[in-house]
């Protein structure tokens, strides 16, 4: 019973927005009260007490100027001392009434304005205390008047009106505050939903971008494969004819010089055929069959084709892959592509004579495949964007190599990390789970 009553009259929590809005109304009311008061005191038939009245109004002006100054700096004068304000206002209005008209003074309506101001700025309890002080002030005025002019009924009526206004104004202010709080809560909820929606849209956009990038990469690889197969076919046929002719010539009775030169031609032809075969092998449609693959073979296959890449021949490419490494499980062609992409990037990052080391090592339950180069390195701002689709710093880059690489590695249950010393080189490290010896006898999963 007592608790809800106390809660009703508990001080309202500080709310800067509400406080400033209420203060703006209170400041205007004060100025308006002062102007009306000055007119009442000085226009028409001025009373004999004009000077004391003007002095009181001057004090009121001082207070209002202070109040306005604080408000202009988004602060509230005497915010934490509402009773001081209530005492001053009751005294101020009581004195105005005393010097102008007594119990019937038009200034008595200022008590009502003071209560409205208190209601919108402070708690209901404070407003009732303010109301009590106003009644005291009016009561004192009553006793200061000659007994012939005293009308107890008029005083009682004003007291009733004061309590009435104090209750009505503070209840209305409370209602408004509550509505404001509800609106704020709804606004916060709305904002939260909006943020959620925005983050979902951002996530869907990212997913869409990633799948687009993957499709683009696959299309690129398919087009490259078609081109390579076409070239191999077009070049392969005349090459076979030349080989046959060379073999035919070799069966003839030839002098030593011609035989040696023909041998060299045959050697070079064989080399071209190997290159074509490797190119066709590499660019054939990707095999998505899962199985186990030897790390040594993956690295070899990737390097076999990477050496034909622009500048590949001018780099010192070393491998440090022990023969006794366990195999890794996954799609072999994709794993070759991982090493291939890393080596191509390393070739691009290094100059003529640059060193690239491809190594593999077992670390705990993971196999670490490391590609290290002594090239340009990666600045910090670039490093943060490395794996984003379409991010490239190269003139003719696609920005898909590392993005696709990370996708493949993650699909194989692995991780990729980068360490770089700008100006001195970079190290890309791919960690993959390897096939434990106990698993090697298990049947291979085919998808
Ligand atoms: P692309 O090779 O088409 O640019 P990638 O996704 O393979 O696309 O690489 C993205 C970017 O990462 C490159 O443009 C380059 O700036 C940087 N990068 C990748 N590997 C290296 C490396 N080994 N050294 C320096 N920068 C690298």
């Amino acid at each position: 019973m007592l608790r809800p009553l106390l809660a009703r009259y508990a001080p309202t929590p500080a709310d800067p927005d509400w406080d400033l809005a209420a203060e703006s109304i209170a400041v205007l009311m004060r100025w308006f009260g002062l102007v009306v008061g000055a007119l009442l005191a000085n226009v028409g038939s001025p009373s004999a007490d004009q000077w004391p009245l003007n002095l009181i109004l001057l004090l009121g002006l001082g207070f209002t100027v202070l109040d306005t100054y604080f408000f202009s700096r988004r602060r509230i004068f005497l915010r934490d001392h509402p009773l001081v304000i209530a005492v001053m206002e009751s005294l101020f209005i009581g004195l105005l009434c005393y010097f102008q008209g007594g119990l019937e003074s038009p200034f008595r309506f200022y008590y009502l304005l003071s209560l409205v101001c208190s209601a919108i700025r402070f708690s209901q309890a404070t407003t009732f205390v303010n109301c009590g002080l106003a009644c005291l002030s009016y009561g004192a005025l009553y006793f200061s008047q000659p007994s012939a002019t005293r009308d107890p009924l008029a005083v009682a009526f004003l007291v009733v009106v004061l309590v009435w206004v104090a209750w009505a104004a503070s209840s209305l202010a409370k209602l408004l505050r509550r509505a404001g709080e509800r609106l704020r809560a709804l606004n916060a909820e709305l904002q939260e939903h909006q943020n959620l929606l925005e983050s979902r849209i951002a996530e869907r956009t990212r997913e869409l971008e990633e799948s687009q990038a993957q499709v683009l990469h696959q299309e690129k690889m398919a087009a490259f494969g078609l081109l390579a197969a076409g070239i191999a076919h077009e070049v392969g046929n005349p090459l076979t004819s030349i080989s046959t002719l060379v073999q035919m010539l070799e069966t003839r009775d030839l002098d030593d010089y011609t035989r040696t030169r023909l041998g060299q031609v045959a050697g070079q032809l064989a080399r071209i055929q190997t290159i074509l075969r490797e190119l066709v092998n590499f660019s054939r449609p990707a095999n998505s069959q899962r199985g186990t693959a030897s790390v040594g073979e993956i690295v070899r296959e990737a390097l076999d084709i990477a050496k034909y890449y622009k500048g590949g021949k001018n780099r010192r490419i070393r491998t440090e892959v022990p023969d006794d490494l366990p195999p890794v499980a996954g799609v072999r062609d994709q794993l070759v592509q991982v090493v291939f992409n890393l080596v191509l990037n390393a070739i691009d990052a290094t100059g003529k004579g640059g060193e690239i080391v491809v190594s593999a090592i077992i670390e705990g339950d993971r196999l670490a495949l490391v590609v290290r180069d002594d090239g340009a390195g990666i600045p910090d701002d670039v490093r943060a964007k490395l794996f984003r689709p379409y991010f490239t710093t190269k003139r003719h880059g696609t920005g898909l190599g590392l993005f696709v690489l990370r996708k493949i590695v993650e699909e194989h249950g692995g991780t990729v990390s980068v360490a770089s010393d700008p100006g001195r080189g970079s190290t890309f490290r791919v960690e993959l789970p390897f096939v434990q010896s106990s698993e090697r006898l298990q049947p291979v999963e085919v998808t």
Side-chain angles (χ1 to χ4, degrees):
M1 166 87 185
L2 191 65
R3 197 173 284 179
L5 202 70
L6 284 178
R8 263 183 95 158
Y9 296 103
T12 42
D15 171 357
D17 290 341
W18 172 279
D19 286 350
L20 279 172
E23 178 69 5
S24 72
I25 299 174
V27 167
L28 277 179
M29 281 171 82
R30 289 219 168 93
W31 280 109
F32 193 62
L34 280 173
V35 172
V36 173
L39 288 175
L40 271 176
N42 301 296
V43 178
S45 49
S47 74
D49 295 317
Q50 195 178 4
W51 280 114
L53 269 178
N54 279 326
L55 189 70
I56 298 164
L57 286 170
L58 207 64
L59 285 175
L61 178 70
F63 181 86
T64 307
V65 167
L66 266 177
D67 210 15
T68 312
Y69 170 75
F70 271 73
F71 175 66
S72 70
R73 321 206 79 191
R74 297 185 63 77
R75 283 166 58 199
I76 294 170
F77 184 47
L78 292 177
R79 186 195 183 282
D80 298 326
H81 304 283
L83 288 185
V84 174
I85 299 177
V87 168
M88 281 199 303
E89 282 182 351
S90 299
L91 197 70
F92 177 76
I93 300 168
L95 286 172
L96 283 176
C97 291
Y98 180 78
F99 289 111
Q100 168 89 329
L103 290 170
E104 292 301 310
S105 167
F107 283 116
R108 70 187 187 286
F109 296 112
Y110 277 27
Y111 286 122
L112 302 178
L113 295 175
S114 156
L115 289 181
V116 172
C117 267
S118 171
I120 59 172
R121 297 169 74 200
F122 305 116
S123 69
Q124 199 159 35
T126 310
T127 307
F128 278 119
V129 172
N130 199 347
C131 177
L133 289 168
C135 292
L136 271 181
S137 160
Y138 198 64
L141 183 69
Y142 176 82
F143 288 110
S144 71
Q145 300 300 307
S147 49
T149 58
R150 292 186 204 157
D151 179 0
L153 218 68
V155 175
F157 181 71
L158 190 82
V159 167
V160 170
V161 171
L162 286 180
V163 174
W164 192 353
V165 169
W167 169 80
S170 56
S171 298
L172 191 66
K174 227 171 150 183
L175 201 70
L176 281 175
R177 260 181 212 270
R178 230 181 273 155
E181 272 159 24
R182 179 93 191 97
L183 261 178
R184 231 193 331 270
L186 283 175
N187 209 14
E189 227 172 279
L190 202 72
Q191 188 68 43
E192 206 176 298
H193 281 129
Q194 193 176 329
N195 290 347
L196 192 75
L197 201 71
E198 275 173 12
S199 70
R200 281 206 187 141
I201 290 174
E203 197 178 324
R204 293 281 175 281
T205 312
R206 191 181 49 78
E207 279 172 10
L208 200 71
E209 251 180 33
E210 289 193 2
S211 57
Q212 260 180 348
Q214 224 166 353
V215 169
L216 193 80
H217 180 75
Q218 277 160 2
E219 279 174 359
K220 209 183 83 180
M221 290 306 285
F224 174 61
L226 218 62
L227 191 73
I231 293 174
H233 184 256
E234 293 302 316
V235 178
N237 285 346
L239 213 62
T240 314
S241 311
I242 298 170
S243 270
T244 316
L245 287 174
V246 170
Q247 278 165 22
M248 277 167 59
L249 284 175
E250 276 178 330
T251 57
R252 296 281 172 108
D253 191 14
L254 300 168
D255 60 90
D256 283 351
Y257 178 83
T258 314
R259 185 167 296 284
T260 314
R261 294 290 171 263
L262 267 182
Q264 283 171 345
V265 171
Q268 293 305 315
L269 283 174
R271 220 175 126 209
I272 297 173
Q273 274 165 334
T274 311
I275 294 171
L276 281 180
R277 202 171 41 252
E278 281 169 345
L279 201 66
V280 171
N281 274 350
F282 184 77
S283 56
R284 72 183 180 273
N287 182 354
S288 60
Q289 190 169 338
R290 285 183 78 87
T292 54
S294 139
V295 181
E297 278 175 23
I298 290 171
V299 172
R300 210 166 307 123
E301 200 171 316
L303 291 182
D304 271 350
I305 193 79
K307 67 179 182 249
Y308 299 117
Y309 184 62
K310 158 181 67 77
K313 292 249 167 58
N314 304 324
R315 311 293 190 269
R316 287 171 292 136
I317 303 182
R318 268 196 303 124
T319 54
E320 291 171 6
V321 182
D323 289 333
D324 57 350
L325 284 178
V328 284
V331 183
R332 183 198 157 93
D333 283 356
Q334 290 185 347
L335 294 172
V336 170
Q337 205 184 351
V338 166
V339 180
F340 179 69
N341 284 358
L342 290 178
V343 173
L344 289 204
N345 276 340
I347 293 175
D348 281 338
T350 46
K352 209 170 175 181
E355 188 178 50
I356 298 166
V357 183
V358 183
S359 58
I361 186 174
I362 293 288
E363 283 177 354
D365 62 347
R366 305 243 127 183
L367 188 141
L369 242 168
V370 181
V371 178
R372 199 176 70 229
D373 65 68
D374 61 358
I378 306 169
D380 286 346
D381 57 324
V382 169
R383 207 154 93 189
K385 303 178 207 152
L386 276 189
F387 295 94
R388 286 191 199 161
Y390 307 116
F391 173 75
T392 180
T393 56
K394 299 174 196 169
R395 198 144 165 244
H396 299 294
T398 60
L400 291 175
L402 290 178
F403 162 72
V404 170
L405 179 154
R406 187 168 68 174
K407 267 245 155 345
I408 295 175
V409 172
E410 282 173 357
E411 277 164 15
H412 282 77
T415 53
V416 198
S417 56
V418 194
S420 181
D421 195 355
R424 303 185 63 176
S426 314
T427 304
F428 281 78
R429 184 185 187 80
V430 172
E431 288 187 16
L432 291 165
F434 60 85
V435 183
Q436 307 281 347
S437 51
S438 56
E439 296 170 44
R440 277 182 221 158
L441 297 173
Q442 305 288 321
V444 165
E445 180 198 340
V446 176
T447 54

